[in-house]
Amino acid sequence: MSGSTGKGKVRERLRVGLLASGRGSNLQAIIDAIEAGTLPAQIVAVFSNKKEAPALERARRHAIHDVFLDPKPFINQPDGRMDYDRLVLEELRKHDVDLLLLAGYMRIVTPVLINAMPNRIMNIHPSLLPSFPGLEVQKKAIEWGAKITGCTVHFVSEGVDEGPIIIQAAVPILENDTPETLAARILAEEHKIYPQAVTLYAEGRLRVNGRRVYLSGMSDVPPPSVISPT
Ligand code: GAR
């Protein structure tokens, strides 16, 4: 965590590493918040399992170190997924990463990483967990007939999309929504809540107790409810 080290020295900003497989719009939202001065952190490296991931290109454009970690040598190996994560961990240690963000990272993270960084890995997911874990969740929410879905930032635990929830945003589902139109409205909320969650972490305002994440310094006034349809 950032702040005083207790030895009279002020530690440098929170060192964030980010894993992405694709377009990297959440990465961009984090970069924008840092550049706007609202998120007291620095992204020290962006890693991807996809060589051509646009997220890597975004990192380069902002002079952030980018690393492609090739999963091919690990495919069909007995402990391939764990060994791949050992490689990731080695990279994180090399860059002295305090907090790891998964942002559109389409691999399941193994206990190798999770146990090495308990409550120091966050993920963003495009549904209101625990509803609709997994993939193609906007389509699943529409097909289920849900009236409200949204997005969730949570700490990563061994169960996929199951870790302690930090922050959520609710998004109404409209009758004429397609998975694409819904995904676009959810994504706009993702870009708000992911930087917000990282800011809370960087400011030392998150405390995890079991499944619950307590946030200090938040307003006592409940936000308005979301009713859909109105
Ligand atoms: C985002 O919608 C994110 O929530 C989702 O992938 C997209 C990545 O977009 N993640 C998952 O579905 C993880 N289960 P981005 O690459 O533009 O940030």
Side-chain angles (χ1 to χ4, degrees):
M1 303 282 275
S2 60
S4 169
T5 60
K7 290 183 185 165
K9 265 199 302 182
V10 172
R11 247 206 85 165
E12 62 176 8
R13 293 180 140 221
L14 180 81
R15 296 175 66 85
V16 172
L18 188 141
L19 272 168
S21 302
R23 132 192 92 173
S25 71
N26 277 291
L27 163 65
Q28 190 66 53
I30 306 273
I31 292 173
D32 292 347
I34 291 172
E35 291 184 353
T38 58
L39 200 176
Q42 55 179 325
I43 303 178
V44 291
V46 172
F47 309 94
S48 184
N49 58 322
K50 301 275 182 196
K51 196 168 198 281
E52 306 301 331
L56 291 179
E57 175 54 31
R58 283 187 204 263
R60 288 194 285 275
R61 276 209 298 274
H62 291 268
I64 297 168
H65 188 64
D66 70 291
V67 185
F68 163 56
L69 297 172
D70 191 353
K72 269 209 206 86
F74 301 90
I75 293 172
N76 296 329
Q77 297 303 308
D79 285 324
R81 287 194 320 119
M82 306 244 270
D83 286 341
Y84 183 80
D85 277 359
R86 286 189 184 99
L87 178 70
V88 174
L89 190 56
E90 207 174 290
E91 285 289 325
L92 297 176
R93 289 190 169 141
K94 213 187 283 173
H95 295 278
D96 201 10
V97 166
D98 299 313
L99 176 70
L100 175 63
L101 305 179
L102 311 185
Y105 182 57
M106 294 308 177
R107 284 176 69 92
I108 291 172
V109 170
T110 69
V112 167
L113 272 182
I114 294 162
N115 295 338
M117 301 185 73
N119 293 333
R120 290 203 290 135
I121 308 176
M122 286 184 190
N123 181 42
I124 183 134
H125 180 79
S127 78
L128 283 180
L129 290 171
S131 291
F132 310 115
L135 298 174
E136 298 193 352
V137 295
Q138 299 91 343
K139 181 166 177 273
K140 285 178 190 159
I142 292 172
E143 286 175 357
W144 189 261
K147 302 295 188 196
I148 298 175
T149 183
C151 46
T152 303
V153 179
H154 63 94
F155 284 114
V156 173
S157 64
E158 278 194 38
V160 176
D161 299 327
E162 280 183 6
I165 292 171
I166 301 165
I167 184 165
Q168 295 185 301
V171 176
I173 299 176
L174 309 179
E175 283 188 356
N176 57 359
D177 259 331
T178 63
E180 292 73 28
T181 58
L182 178 58
R185 289 205 311 289
I186 295 173
L187 194 64
E189 299 307 308
E190 294 184 35
H191 296 165
K192 294 177 200 162
I193 65 169
Y194 215 176
Q196 217 173 325
V198 181
T199 302
L200 289 166
Y201 186 96
E203 292 175 347
R205 291 165 62 193
L206 300 182
R207 185 173 58 82
V208 185
N209 186 2
R211 280 215 51 82
R212 299 196 66 183
V213 180
Y214 295 90
L215 282 56
S216 64
M218 305 304 281
S219 159
D220 287 338
V221 182
S225 60
V226 178
I227 297 173
S228 174
T230 48

